[in-house]
Every structure is written in C-alpha cells, then in structure tokens.
Amino acid sequence: MVKCQDVMQAMERIAPRRLAEAWDNPGLLIGSPADEVRKILVALDVREETIEQAIEDGCDLIVAHHPLIFRGVKAVRTDDATGRKIARLIRADIAVFAAHTNLDSAAGGVNDVLAGRLGLVSPVSLVEGAADGEPGLGRIGELPAPLSLDDFAAFVKTHLELSALRVVCAGRHAVHRVALCGGSGAEFIGRAAAKGADVYVTGDVKYHDAERAVGLGIHVLDAGHFATEQPIVASLAARLANALGKAVEIVAETRSSDFFQIY
C-alpha cells in the first residue's frame, strides 16, 4: 500500500524542497500524508480539465509542476477559479502535490529535460545553486556543431512541437553556446550573455527584454512558457513510476494545451 507520504519522499529525492526559491510554495497543498494512493496523475498545471481527467481516471493524487495555491488563502469561494478547484478536489478526495522551482533546478528536472530536447552537450546550471555543488535555475551548454539562427529556431520549433515561436535576432553570429530556462526566465538574459551564450531560449519575453538582448548581442527564442516546461510531465511520470514501483499506477495528463494559440 502506497501512502501520500511515500510519494512525498520520492519527490523529495527527485526535487529536494531546499532547491525551491524563497517565494515559492511547493509541497503537499491538498490532502494528508496518510492518504492512500493507488493512482497518480502528473501534470504541468492543476486546471479544470486536469481535475476532470483525475476524476474520470480514478486518481487519488495530482503531482503538478505549478502550485495550485501560491499565497495564503483566506476564503475558499466557489465563485473564484482557485476556490472552485480546491472545493472540487476536496469533494473528489484528490490530493495535490507541487514541485515548482525545486523541480526547475533539480538534476533531471525541467531545465535538464529541456536541455536534452535541444541537444545540449554537458549542460551546467546557468544560475548557481544556493549551496556549493547544488544545481540552480537554467542551463547552459553547447550544440554538437554551430547552426545559423534560422536553423536553430527551426530545430527548436520541431523538437518542442511548436506551430510558431518568437525570435529576437541580435546580429549575424551563429548559434553554438546555448542558454535556456524553462517557463518565464527573461530575468536571466543578462546572465546568459555574460556567460557567453549565443542564444537564450525561454518563455514570456517582453518587448524591453528583447531590446536589452539586442543591446547585449544575444539572440533570444521565446518558445513559450508551456512548451518549455511541458516535456517534464512525461519525464517525471516515468521517474515516479521507477521510484514507486508497481504498487501505484502513474499517468501523464493529456488534456492541457498552451493557453496561447497562433492565428
């Protein structure tokens, strides 16, 4: 019999809580460590469609990347989107666990999976960990061979299964050294440039972020928040299955897609 506590311990080994940023809210957000777990749904977000799949598939626990609850909750009102989801989960007796920035930083986490998708050789942390020797946010590494910016953008588009992506061209230089940060990582453009990256891949890039990148001479690919993090879902499901064995069934969420559509 697998308890929620067993899953929490497995997740602590995969993404230690000490790696989370101070502002973050990872961990068990709904439910009890003593809850019995027979089936787990791994997801990027806890959306309405995620909850629907969890209920239909008979899941007892959702393990998500993005926390459903970020700040203190003073009321659980069902006319509010978050309150409605919390109430529905409690009624369905489904627990929720989140691993957010700790899973971003962890070895084998969001950024290592993204680096693998993009073919980086021997990637290392872009941002140093809080303690010596521990991984931090983002990754930086090299491609096996240089590519033009156009060819690299096409490569990223294919390997992240994108219909489109935004490209900031900062000159005529080729792409060899690549920095990345899954999700929203525009704050590290300067760090990527300082570490000699030719291009930076992330999501949620704003106009003035692009202007800064051009001034620093570093190309930027905005591949979107969803696409740069979604690859972790299947990877995390496989790692949890390996950690917990056959005593619990684990499935990856399949109903969510990027909120942004290209027309």
Side-chain angles (χ1 to χ4, degrees):
M1 178 186 301
V2 173
K3 298 286 189 179
C4 190
Q5 181 65 42
D6 299 317
V7 183
M8 293 166 63
Q9 290 171 348
M11 286 301 302
E12 178 64 20
R13 293 190 294 272
I14 291 170
R17 189 177 179 126
R18 68 180 180 275
L19 299 181
E21 299 297 297
W23 50 264
D24 202 3
N25 191 38
L28 186 64
L29 303 179
I30 297 175
S32 165
D35 289 345
E36 184 178 351
V37 177
R38 297 173 298 276
K39 192 169 185 178
I40 300 170
L41 181 66
V42 179
L44 189 64
D45 307 294
V46 183
R47 306 186 190 183
E48 293 285 1
E49 56 264 39
T50 310
I51 298 171
E52 194 67 39
Q53 182 175 342
I55 292 171
E56 291 181 9
D57 289 356
C59 296
D60 311 289
L61 171 65
I62 296 171
V63 174
H65 179 46
H66 294 137
L68 174 60
I69 302 168
F70 256 118
R71 300 171 183 85
V73 175
K74 294 184 178 181
V76 178
R77 294 181 48 151
T78 54
D79 59 344
D80 166 78
T82 300
R84 185 166 58 250
K85 287 187 280 190
I86 291 171
R88 192 177 185 194
L89 287 159
I90 291 173
R91 284 196 298 267
D93 198 22
I94 297 173
V96 174
F97 180 94
H100 189 210
T101 53
N102 47 327
L103 187 59
D104 287 327
S105 289
V110 170
N111 287 298
D112 277 334
V113 171
L114 180 58
R117 279 285 184 100
L118 301 188
L120 269 62
V121 177
S122 302
V124 297
S125 296
L126 178 63
V127 181
E128 293 73 18
D132 288 345
E134 287 197 327
L137 293 168
R139 293 293 183 267
I140 186 166
E142 295 184 347
L143 297 174
L147 294 172
S148 69
L149 178 59
D150 286 348
D151 285 346
F152 181 67
F155 176 87
V156 171
K157 183 179 173 183
T158 297
H159 285 77
L160 294 185
E161 301 176 3
L162 293 164
S163 59
L165 76 167
R166 299 194 299 165
V167 179
V168 178
C169 178
R172 302 180 66 179
H173 59 278
V175 172
H176 190 201
R177 190 161 172 80
V178 178
L180 58 85
C181 184
S184 182
E187 65 188 285
F188 301 130
I189 288 172
R191 185 179 294 265
K195 290 197 170 187
D198 302 305
V199 67
Y200 183 52
V201 182
T202 190
D204 299 343
V205 178
K206 297 180 180 179
Y207 181 88
H208 291 295
D209 298 325
E211 181 182 33
R212 182 171 182 235
V214 170
L216 291 169
I218 182 172
H219 306 308
V220 174
L221 267 59
D222 185 342
H225 199 123
F226 180 87
T228 55
E229 292 191 327
Q230 179 65 15
I232 192 59
V233 173
S235 176
L236 181 56
R239 292 181 71 184
L240 272 177
N242 184 61
L244 297 170
K246 297 181 179 180
V248 61
E249 184 180 355
I250 299 173
V251 294
E253 199 256 17
T254 57
R255 301 188 183 183
S256 294
S257 59
D258 200 335
F259 289 116
F260 294 94
Q261 301 298 317
I262 305 298
Y263 288 88

